[in-house]
Amino acid sequence: MDWHNHQHRHCGKAIEICRQRSRVYELARIANPRRWTGAPRCWRQPEVVWINPPADDFIAHTAKLKLAA
C-alpha cells in the first residue's frame, strides 16, 4: 500500500507535472488560438479521491476534526 500511495505515478510529482502541462497548453493556445474551440483541460488534481466513499456521517465528523485542529 505504501508503494501505491507514495511512489506510484510520478513519485509524488503529479501536482508539479500538472502545473507544467497547464502552462504548456496555455502557451499553445496563445500561439495557435484558432486550434482551440473552448477552454483548455483543467489539470488540477483532486484534493480527495475515494474508491469506496465513506458514509456521510463519517465525512461530517472528519470535517469537524479538521476544523478543530
Side-chain angles (χ1 to χ4, degrees):
M1 189 60 108
D2 182 69
W3 173 85
H4 186 272
N5 290 337
H6 302 289
Q7 297 174 28
H8 176 66
R9 310 216 3 136
H10 307 303
C11 302
K13 298 176 185 174
I15 292 172
E16 183 53 38
I17 289 170
C18 287
R19 282 188 192 133
Q20 183 178 359
R21 287 178 181 167
S22 179
R23 286 191 293 268
V24 168
Y25 270 64
E26 186 58 33
L27 291 173
R29 188 171 169 224
I30 291 168
N32 301 293
R34 294 189 315 188
R35 293 180 65 189
W36 301 87
T37 58
R41 177 180 173 186
C42 178
W43 289 100
R44 283 179 279 159
Q45 297 291 299
E47 291 190 27
V48 177
V49 177
W50 296 100
I51 293 173
N52 297 311
D56 289 339
D57 57 338
F58 176 79
I59 294 171
H61 178 70
T62 303
K64 287 179 186 175
L65 291 176
K66 286 183 182 179
L67 289 174

